[in-house]
mmCIF file of all heavy atoms in Angstrom:
data_model
loop_
_atom_site.group_PDB
_atom_site.id
_atom_site.type_symbol
_atom_site.label_atom_id
_atom_site.label_comp_id
_atom_site.label_asym_id
_atom_site.label_seq_id
_atom_site.Cartn_x
_atom_site.Cartn_y
_atom_site.Cartn_z
ATOM 1 N N LYS A 345 95.522 101.005 123.629
ATOM 2 C CA LYS A 345 96.163 102.274 123.814
ATOM 3 C C LYS A 345 97.692 102.149 123.810
ATOM 4 O O LYS A 345 98.370 103.172 123.623
ATOM 5 C CB LYS A 345 95.687 102.924 125.171
ATOM 6 C CG LYS A 345 94.200 103.234 125.155
ATOM 7 C CD LYS A 345 93.748 103.820 126.500
ATOM 8 C CE LYS A 345 92.262 104.130 126.478
ATOM 9 N NZ LYS A 345 91.804 104.720 127.803
ATOM 10 N N ASP A 346 98.189 100.976 124.067
ATOM 11 C CA ASP A 346 99.614 100.760 124.133
ATOM 12 C C ASP A 346 100.209 100.204 122.837
ATOM 13 O O ASP A 346 101.276 99.592 122.823
ATOM 14 C CB ASP A 346 99.976 99.815 125.292
ATOM 15 C CG ASP A 346 99.529 100.382 126.627
ATOM 16 O OD1 ASP A 346 99.612 101.598 126.801
ATOM 17 O OD2 ASP A 346 99.087 99.548 127.471
ATOM 18 N N VAL A 347 99.522 100.391 121.720
ATOM 19 C CA VAL A 347 99.952 99.854 120.461
ATOM 20 C C VAL A 347 101.309 100.405 120.045
ATOM 21 O O VAL A 347 101.635 101.565 120.258
ATOM 22 C CB VAL A 347 98.892 100.153 119.344
ATOM 23 C CG1 VAL A 347 98.724 101.639 119.159
ATOM 24 C CG2 VAL A 347 99.288 99.492 118.078
ATOM 25 N N ASP A 348 102.179 99.514 119.560
ATOM 26 C CA ASP A 348 103.564 99.858 119.153
ATOM 27 C C ASP A 348 103.596 100.066 117.646
ATOM 28 O O ASP A 348 103.575 99.075 116.912
ATOM 29 C CB ASP A 348 104.470 98.710 119.611
ATOM 30 C CG ASP A 348 105.884 98.823 118.975
ATOM 31 O OD1 ASP A 348 106.289 99.936 118.669
ATOM 32 O OD2 ASP A 348 106.522 97.756 118.847
ATOM 33 N N ILE A 349 103.630 101.302 117.190
ATOM 34 C CA ILE A 349 103.630 101.617 115.803
ATOM 35 C C ILE A 349 104.748 102.633 115.473
ATOM 36 O O ILE A 349 104.870 103.623 116.137
ATOM 37 C CB ILE A 349 102.275 102.219 115.326
ATOM 38 C CG1 ILE A 349 101.149 101.189 115.507
ATOM 39 C CG2 ILE A 349 102.378 102.622 113.846
ATOM 40 C CD1 ILE A 349 99.800 101.710 115.077
ATOM 41 N N GLU A 350 105.523 102.290 114.419
ATOM 42 C CA GLU A 350 106.534 103.234 113.899
ATOM 43 C C GLU A 350 106.206 103.504 112.440
ATOM 44 O O GLU A 350 106.019 102.591 111.654
ATOM 45 C CB GLU A 350 107.943 102.629 114.041
ATOM 46 C CG GLU A 350 108.336 102.361 115.462
ATOM 47 C CD GLU A 350 109.680 101.663 115.562
ATOM 48 O OE1 GLU A 350 110.324 101.429 114.497
ATOM 49 O OE2 GLU A 350 110.109 101.301 116.665
ATOM 50 N N LYS A 351 106.204 104.773 112.069
ATOM 51 C CA LYS A 351 105.867 105.173 110.696
ATOM 52 C C LYS A 351 107.112 105.506 109.939
ATOM 53 O O LYS A 351 107.926 106.338 110.383
ATOM 54 C CB LYS A 351 104.918 106.353 110.712
ATOM 55 C CG LYS A 351 103.607 106.129 111.428
ATOM 56 C CD LYS A 351 102.736 107.366 111.472
ATOM 57 C CE LYS A 351 101.437 107.122 112.220
ATOM 58 N NZ LYS A 351 100.566 108.324 112.281
ATOM 59 N N GLU A 352 107.308 104.874 108.792
ATOM 60 C CA GLU A 352 108.503 105.140 107.965
ATOM 61 C C GLU A 352 108.101 105.096 106.487
ATOM 62 O O GLU A 352 107.208 104.349 106.099
ATOM 63 C CB GLU A 352 109.570 104.048 108.229
ATOM 64 C CG GLU A 352 110.202 104.083 109.601
ATOM 65 C CD GLU A 352 111.280 103.039 109.744
ATOM 66 O OE1 GLU A 352 111.730 102.528 108.728
ATOM 67 O OE2 GLU A 352 111.666 102.747 110.875
ATOM 68 N N TYR A 353 108.816 105.876 105.698
ATOM 69 C CA TYR A 353 108.666 105.777 104.237
ATOM 70 C C TYR A 353 109.289 104.481 103.730
ATOM 71 O O TYR A 353 110.258 103.971 104.288
ATOM 72 C CB TYR A 353 109.282 106.983 103.545
ATOM 73 C CG TYR A 353 108.430 108.250 103.727
ATOM 74 C CD1 TYR A 353 108.897 109.343 104.480
ATOM 75 C CD2 TYR A 353 107.171 108.374 103.086
ATOM 76 C CE1 TYR A 353 108.137 110.466 104.629
ATOM 77 C CE2 TYR A 353 106.416 109.523 103.243
ATOM 78 C CZ TYR A 353 106.907 110.550 103.992
ATOM 79 O OH TYR A 353 106.126 111.656 104.159
ATOM 80 N N PRO A 354 108.776 103.931 102.630
ATOM 81 C CA PRO A 354 109.315 102.684 102.115
ATOM 82 C C PRO A 354 110.736 102.892 101.539
ATOM 83 O O PRO A 354 111.149 104.028 101.281
ATOM 84 C CB PRO A 354 108.340 102.320 101.004
ATOM 85 C CG PRO A 354 107.674 103.599 100.616
ATOM 86 C CD PRO A 354 107.601 104.429 101.844
ATOM 87 N N SER A 355 111.429 101.798 101.376
ATOM 88 C CA SER A 355 112.841 101.864 100.968
ATOM 89 C C SER A 355 113.022 102.396 99.526
ATOM 90 O O SER A 355 114.075 102.899 99.202
ATOM 91 C CB SER A 355 113.469 100.463 101.065
ATOM 92 O OG SER A 355 112.809 99.554 100.271
ATOM 93 N N ASP A 356 111.977 102.274 98.693
ATOM 94 C CA ASP A 356 112.128 102.734 97.329
ATOM 95 C C ASP A 356 111.590 104.165 97.106
ATOM 96 O O ASP A 356 111.409 104.585 96.005
ATOM 97 C CB ASP A 356 111.419 101.773 96.357
ATOM 98 C CG ASP A 356 109.926 101.572 96.717
ATOM 99 O OD1 ASP A 356 109.569 101.891 97.863
ATOM 100 O OD2 ASP A 356 109.152 101.106 95.849
ATOM 101 N N LEU A 357 111.485 104.956 98.188
ATOM 102 C CA LEU A 357 111.179 106.329 98.039
ATOM 103 C C LEU A 357 112.304 106.992 97.231
ATOM 104 O O LEU A 357 113.496 106.814 97.588
ATOM 105 C CB LEU A 357 111.079 107.011 99.400
ATOM 106 C CG LEU A 357 110.675 108.512 99.412
ATOM 107 C CD1 LEU A 357 109.241 108.695 98.984
ATOM 108 C CD2 LEU A 357 110.910 109.104 100.809
ATOM 109 N N PRO A 358 112.013 107.729 96.173
ATOM 110 C CA PRO A 358 113.075 108.320 95.327
ATOM 111 C C PRO A 358 114.093 109.120 96.155
ATOM 112 O O PRO A 358 113.715 109.842 97.095
ATOM 113 C CB PRO A 358 112.305 109.238 94.351
ATOM 114 C CG PRO A 358 110.962 108.547 94.262
ATOM 115 C CD PRO A 358 110.687 108.007 95.622
ATOM 116 N N SER A 359 115.368 108.989 95.796
ATOM 117 C CA SER A 359 116.425 109.586 96.590
ATOM 118 C C SER A 359 116.314 111.110 96.635
ATOM 119 O O SER A 359 116.665 111.715 97.676
ATOM 120 C CB SER A 359 117.797 109.198 95.994
ATOM 121 O OG SER A 359 117.857 109.578 94.632
ATOM 122 N N TYR A 360 115.822 111.729 95.601
ATOM 123 C CA TYR A 360 115.721 113.208 95.611
ATOM 124 C C TYR A 360 114.706 113.647 96.623
ATOM 125 O O TYR A 360 114.833 114.728 97.252
ATOM 126 C CB TYR A 360 115.411 113.737 94.212
ATOM 127 C CG TYR A 360 113.964 113.637 93.764
ATOM 128 C CD1 TYR A 360 113.065 114.664 93.951
ATOM 129 C CD2 TYR A 360 113.533 112.474 93.125
ATOM 130 C CE1 TYR A 360 111.757 114.547 93.535
ATOM 131 C CE2 TYR A 360 112.229 112.364 92.686
ATOM 132 C CZ TYR A 360 111.312 113.414 92.926
ATOM 133 O OH TYR A 360 110.027 113.293 92.517
ATOM 134 N N LEU A 361 113.618 112.864 96.839
ATOM 135 C CA LEU A 361 112.652 113.175 97.868
ATOM 136 C C LEU A 361 113.218 112.937 99.273
ATOM 137 O O LEU A 361 112.937 113.696 100.210
ATOM 138 C CB LEU A 361 111.381 112.346 97.669
ATOM 139 C CG LEU A 361 110.545 112.730 96.436
ATOM 140 C CD1 LEU A 361 109.370 111.758 96.235
ATOM 141 C CD2 LEU A 361 110.031 114.154 96.566
ATOM 142 N N LYS A 362 114.011 111.882 99.401
ATOM 143 C CA LYS A 362 114.673 111.659 100.688
ATOM 144 C C LYS A 362 115.605 112.803 101.044
ATOM 145 O O LYS A 362 115.631 113.289 102.206
ATOM 146 C CB LYS A 362 115.488 110.352 100.650
ATOM 147 C CG LYS A 362 114.693 109.093 100.510
ATOM 148 C CD LYS A 362 115.612 107.891 100.430
ATOM 149 C CE LYS A 362 114.838 106.595 100.260
ATOM 150 N NZ LYS A 362 115.743 105.427 100.130
ATOM 151 N N THR A 363 116.330 113.291 100.035
ATOM 152 C CA THR A 363 117.254 114.467 100.281
ATOM 153 C C THR A 363 116.469 115.683 100.662
ATOM 154 O O THR A 363 116.870 116.387 101.644
ATOM 155 C CB THR A 363 118.055 114.701 98.995
ATOM 156 O OG1 THR A 363 118.781 113.535 98.658
ATOM 157 C CG2 THR A 363 119.027 115.847 99.198
ATOM 158 N N LYS A 364 115.391 115.977 99.952
ATOM 159 C CA LYS A 364 114.582 117.161 100.283
ATOM 160 C C LYS A 364 114.032 117.046 101.673
ATOM 161 O O LYS A 364 114.031 118.016 102.454
ATOM 162 C CB LYS A 364 113.409 117.213 99.314
ATOM 163 C CG LYS A 364 113.764 117.821 97.955
ATOM 164 C CD LYS A 364 112.459 118.086 97.156
ATOM 165 C CE LYS A 364 112.745 118.763 95.838
ATOM 166 N NZ LYS A 364 111.469 119.048 95.084
ATOM 167 N N LEU A 365 113.578 115.844 102.084
ATOM 168 C CA LEU A 365 113.010 115.661 103.404
ATOM 169 C C LEU A 365 114.079 115.849 104.481
ATOM 170 O O LEU A 365 113.804 116.445 105.527
ATOM 171 C CB LEU A 365 112.403 114.249 103.505
ATOM 172 C CG LEU A 365 111.478 113.982 104.695
ATOM 173 C CD1 LEU A 365 110.278 114.933 104.687
ATOM 174 C CD2 LEU A 365 110.982 112.562 104.657
#
Side-chain angles (χ1 to χ4, degrees):
K345 295 179 180 179
D346 300 324
V347 60
D348 167 26
I349 297 179
E350 298 176 3
K351 300 178 183 180
E352 293 182 16
Y353 285 111
S355 59
D356 54 342
L357 183 70
S359 57
Y360 77 93
L361 290 175
K362 292 179 183 177
T363 301
K364 280 187 175 183
L365 193 60

